[in-house]
Amino acid sequence: MKVYTKTGDEGQTSLLSRQRVYKDHIRVHAYGTVDEANAAMGLAKSLTDKEWVFDIIHGIQEELISLNADLATEDLPDGNKYRITPSHVEKLENIIDSLEQRRIPQRHFVTPGGTQVSAALDLARTIVRRAERCVVSLKRTQAVSQPAALYLNRLSDLLFVLARCVEQEELITKVTKRVMQVLQGREQFVGGKNDMTMLSKAKKLIEAAEKKALEIGVPMVIAVVDGGGNLVAHHRMDGALLASISIALDKAYTAVALKMSTDQAAALALPGQQLYGLNTTVGGRMVVFGGGIPIYENGVLIGGIGVSGGSVDEDMTVAKAGLAAL
């Protein structure tokens, strides 16, 4: 049988119960709108990678075919029964109750488009609402089974809750993935992903800085902190001054806290300058002489290096050598 039959060329179509009606008949509007909702649900089904979402949608799509058969029947033959029954409505209610238990309550209106799947489900929901309005209009003049109207009402609620569960599950997946990346020391930067952990970077910095300190013959203490000023690695060469242990760490902290090198801070902390008295703040932790440098990667502040043990120029030379290793 060919796809085109030419029987509708005059603007009429046949109902399942054989009556001929015009294609803009309210009954045709009703089951045509349900068909439209079914297609939107198919879009959602094709986009999801979650088996439980796929199964819910697919099961409902099969029932919508039966619903359309009921809506396309004007006069139910004697002895025949409608395909959609109260048990189908109850089944939708049970699915809604199950989804509601896993959904995080929301106290605000939802703007569709949180994910591709939820957007398609919200589209299907609005089409189902339109189908329900068509059925309400149809019931004013013709026979429609009560379960059919109830089914559409419950289905719109189900699609709303399902869309929210899909959004929330994807959000949880994203947050969990991000937390795991941070815990593993994997940072996402503008311009690409860097797989080196902060500890790996610190070790590389310290190795290069120590090499330079050996070259100039000055034992140093080298400290590396992360973007929050927290210690990542602390290295004291044999013979380095004990005082340099805390000074190196404070230099690294200052570089991160001010987002500038400590020699720049020194110039601004002179009498009459903007940061005069800075060294007396934060319990005296701010260091205003050279040897501390912030560490940037792809324009993002990721930490700081602090060096102490020699003259200011020697400390700065060693810190810069360490930084050059990245």
Side-chain angles (χ1 to χ4, degrees):
M1 182 177 178
K2 292 182 178 181
V3 173
Y4 59 91
T5 62
K6 299 184 180 181
T7 57
D9 289 355
E10 299 302 319
Q12 289 189 324
T13 188
S14 293
L15 299 177
L16 192 61
S17 49
R18 304 296 183 181
Q19 293 90 344
R20 296 287 292 177
V21 297
Y22 282 101
K23 293 182 179 181
D24 62 353
H25 191 281
I26 185 59
R27 188 174 289 277
V28 179
H29 268 304
Y31 66 71
T33 307
V34 171
D35 191 36
E36 190 179 340
N38 199 338
M41 291 177 64
L43 175 61
K45 184 176 72 174
S46 72
L47 291 171
T48 187
D49 59 357
K50 296 176 176 61
E51 187 175 349
W52 67 272
V53 176
F54 183 100
D55 291 343
I56 289 175
I57 296 174
H58 187 75
I60 294 171
Q61 284 183 295
E62 291 182 332
E63 292 177 354
L64 289 182
I65 295 173
S66 297
L67 176 64
N68 264 356
D70 286 349
L71 293 176
T73 302
E74 187 171 281
D75 295 317
L76 194 65
D78 292 339
N80 285 17
K81 296 181 179 179
Y82 286 112
R83 297 161 182 80
I84 296 299
T85 66
S87 65
H88 290 94
V89 178
E90 184 179 356
K91 179 182 174 182
L92 293 186
E93 292 173 346
N94 290 335
I95 296 174
I96 293 171
D97 292 341
S98 175
L99 291 173
E100 281 283 42
Q101 294 197 3
R102 66 195 297 174
R103 180 170 78 98
I104 301 170
Q106 292 166 289
R107 307 293 184 187
H108 53 81
F109 286 104
V110 173
T111 301
T115 70
Q116 288 184 321
V117 179
S118 68
L121 289 170
D122 279 320
L123 175 62
R125 170 180 57 82
T126 61
I127 298 172
V128 169
R129 285 294 193 193
R130 178 151 50 88
E132 183 184 11
R133 294 193 293 271
C134 289
V135 170
V136 169
S137 297
L138 179 62
K139 285 178 66 176
R140 290 199 183 108
T141 58
Q142 300 191 27
V144 178
S145 72
Q146 181 66 13
L150 293 177
Y151 187 94
L152 289 172
N153 180 271
R154 301 300 188 274
L155 178 56
S156 63
D157 292 336
L158 185 150
L159 292 174
F160 175 82
V161 178
L162 180 59
R164 305 293 74 78
C165 287
V166 167
E167 283 179 338
Q168 290 167 178
E169 190 166 299
E170 185 160 328
L171 175 62
I172 291 171
T173 299
K174 285 182 178 180
V175 171
T176 301
K177 183 178 179 180
R178 179 59 179 155
V179 169
M180 291 305 297
Q181 286 177 337
V182 172
L183 290 177
Q184 295 167 7
R186 299 182 180 275
E187 297 291 344
Q188 182 74 37
F189 300 112
V190 177
K193 185 175 181 180
N194 191 315
D195 285 334
M196 285 185 66
T197 65
M198 192 59 203
L199 180 58
S200 298
K201 294 183 178 70
K203 289 178 178 179
K204 194 171 183 179
L205 286 164
I206 289 171
E207 182 181 2
E210 182 178 24
K211 182 179 179 180
K212 190 64 175 180
L214 290 171
E215 285 180 8
I216 65 176
V218 181
M220 299 279 193
V221 176
I222 307 149
V224 178
V225 299
D226 63 18
N230 305 298
L231 178 65
V232 176
H234 208 168
H235 181 74
R236 177 177 177 246
M237 297 171 63
D238 289 341
L241 299 172
L242 291 178
S244 293
I245 296 174
S246 60
I247 295 173
L249 180 57
D250 288 346
K251 284 183 179 182
Y253 172 82
T254 302
V256 169
L258 300 180
K259 296 184 179 180
M260 67 172 68
S261 62
T262 52
D263 60 296
Q264 288 177 301
L268 295 173
L270 294 172
Q273 298 300 312
Q274 300 175 28
L275 300 182
Y276 177 62
L278 174 68
N279 56 304
T280 64
T281 64
V282 196
R285 192 176 184 187
M286 293 293 187
V287 178
V288 290
F289 50 90
I293 304 175
I295 304 170
Y296 284 91
E297 190 164 77
N298 297 315
V300 177
L301 178 68
I302 64 167
I305 180 173
V307 175
S308 178
S311 66
V312 169
D313 288 341
E314 288 170 339
D315 291 352
M316 290 173 60
T317 297
V318 172
K320 288 177 181 177
L323 196 61
L326 292 183

